Amino acid sequence: MKHISILLPDLETGGAQRIMLLLSREFSRRGLQVEIVVLKTGGPLYNTIPEGVNLTLLHANGQGLRFALSSALRLAGWMRQTRTDALLSSLRGTNLLAILTRSLLKAHLRLVIREAASVSKTATGLRLQAMRWLYPCADCTIAINPVMKEELTTCLGIPAAQTVFIPNPVDINWLRKKARAAITLPWPKDKEKKIVVSVGRLIPEKDFPTLLRAFALQPASLKARLIIVGEGPEQKNIELLIKELGLDESVHLAGFDDNPWRWMASAQLFVLSSQAEGFPNALMEALVLGLPAIVTR
């Protein structure tokens, strides 16, 4: 039986983590031995590891440079003893760590990395130089859209033969089943009041302030309500803006939910207000559920 390992920095609620969990479930369903290797302990997705998938926690600790050194040492220890056939890494810092550790150890495992953000727009300085130096050493680099695939060659010098475009997957049947789960809305049911939903981490890149300011401009006759599903470091600022705009009665912050699709199923409209997206998973999932969508450019 082939053994594949998936490397993640943590089990927080990011899109990359969700995609890797989805892939692990499908790999396992197809008969592969699957292991998820996580550098940092904890995170809301800890309890969502698919059945049949092994979880290895490396317990890296500290912050900044200390965390990087701890991660490198623990990953090196894992690489020395693993019998995996291939390692799939996602997220930029984890990719660089995996490439460097494998190169120093001369470990005989196939390494595939996934780049989920535009290199030309998000990589600068020392991080960009490190990517130019290390990314070509991976056996294969996955880009999640065609433009990003081209950037892997033009910006990082990776031979085109070592790159591949693979869009993020959606398990349609599983998603629709999850969306049927029961949910209690924060307001009494009212057919005249439509529900708008947005899903994402509460971080600057998702630009929820723009969504809230736009929502505050709606005519009173629309009587719409807004639900934002997600958590993150911008929560306090978003809560203050909701009060400032007088939206306390019409906006609900649902927080983290490992089944955000049931909120989508209860809504009549999905909105994505991100400043940039490599591949908008939440938008794709909303469309799968038949939800009309409004997206910023």
Side-chain angles (χ1 to χ4, degrees):
M1 179 186 294
K2 291 291 185 180
H3 180 181
I4 184 169
S5 298
I6 295 173
L7 180 64
L8 290 171
D10 52 47
L11 289 170
E12 295 297 333
T13 57
Q17 287 89 334
R18 287 188 179 277
I19 290 298
M20 292 300 104
L21 290 175
L22 188 158
L23 286 175
S24 71
R25 185 176 66 248
E26 182 61 19
F27 290 157
S28 178
R29 189 185 70 81
R30 296 190 180 198
L32 297 175
Q33 181 182 347
V34 185
E35 172 190 21
I36 293 178
V37 181
V38 183
L39 297 176
K40 190 175 182 179
T41 306
L45 296 179
Y46 180 83
N47 294 320
T48 65
I49 302 298
E51 185 178 352
V53 173
N54 297 317
L55 175 64
T56 298
L57 299 174
L58 298 185
H59 301 290
N61 51 49
Q63 300 290 331
L65 181 59
R66 182 181 174 187
F67 175 72
L69 291 173
S70 175
S71 297
L73 290 172
R74 292 171 187 270
L75 182 60
W78 175 83
M79 280 192 181
R80 287 192 184 98
Q81 57 81 35
T82 187
R83 295 186 179 277
T84 193
D85 295 296
L87 177 63
L88 171 61
S89 174
S90 187
L91 293 173
R92 198 166 283 172
T94 311
N95 292 344
L96 293 170
L97 177 66
I99 298 167
L100 183 59
T101 304
R102 186 186 71 155
S103 298
L104 292 174
L105 292 179
K106 298 181 180 179
H108 298 291
L109 58 82
R110 183 169 177 79
L111 177 58
V112 178
I113 61 174
R114 173 180 173 271
E115 180 56 47
S118 169
V119 175
S120 63
K121 294 179 180 178
T122 63
T124 58
L126 291 176
R127 178 61 65 91
L128 177 59
Q129 293 303 318
M131 292 172 70
R132 286 173 173 165
W133 177 42
L134 290 172
Y135 266 42
C137 299
D139 294 298
C140 181
T141 302
I142 297 170
I144 59 176
N145 68 49
V147 173
M148 288 168 55
K149 180 183 184 301
E150 186 175 335
E151 287 184 349
L152 294 175
T153 298
T154 58
C155 297
L156 301 182
I158 303 174
Q162 288 177 222
T163 67
V164 62
F165 157 52
I166 303 178
N168 287 345
V170 175
D171 187 334
I172 294 175
N173 293 332
W174 181 85
L175 189 69
R176 288 174 175 167
K177 181 179 179 181
K178 296 287 285 185
R180 291 195 292 269
I183 191 169
T184 301
L185 294 174
W187 308 284
K189 285 188 176 181
D190 187 338
K191 291 183 179 180
E192 292 186 2
K193 295 184 178 181
K194 304 301 182 183
I195 294 178
V196 179
V197 67
S198 188
V199 177
R201 292 190 66 209
L202 306 186
I203 55 177
E205 293 82 355
K206 299 299 182 181
D207 199 9
F208 286 111
T210 291
L211 171 58
L212 290 169
R213 292 189 179 97
F215 189 77
L217 297 175
Q218 67 166 316
S221 59
L222 288 182
K223 300 179 181 179
R225 289 163 166 170
L226 172 64
I227 297 173
I228 297 175
V229 185
E231 64 179 9
E234 288 296 302
Q235 177 146 346
K236 289 295 183 183
N237 292 333
I238 290 172
E239 289 173 350
L240 289 173
L241 183 58
I242 289 172
K243 291 184 180 297
E244 179 185 323
L245 295 172
L247 298 174
D248 304 72
E249 299 299 320
S250 57
V251 176
H252 174 64
L253 298 181
F256 168 75
D257 190 334
D258 61 9
N259 183 3
W261 310 288
R262 58 181 183 158
W263 294 95
M264 292 182 183
S266 70
Q268 287 74 52
L269 178 68
F270 176 84
V271 177
L272 179 72
S273 56
S274 297
Q275 296 172 356
E277 289 277 354
F279 196 98
N281 297 316
L283 171 62
M284 183 169 58
E285 292 161 352
L287 295 176
V288 165
L289 295 175
L291 199 57
I294 295 176
V295 182
T296 52
R297 294 183 63 182

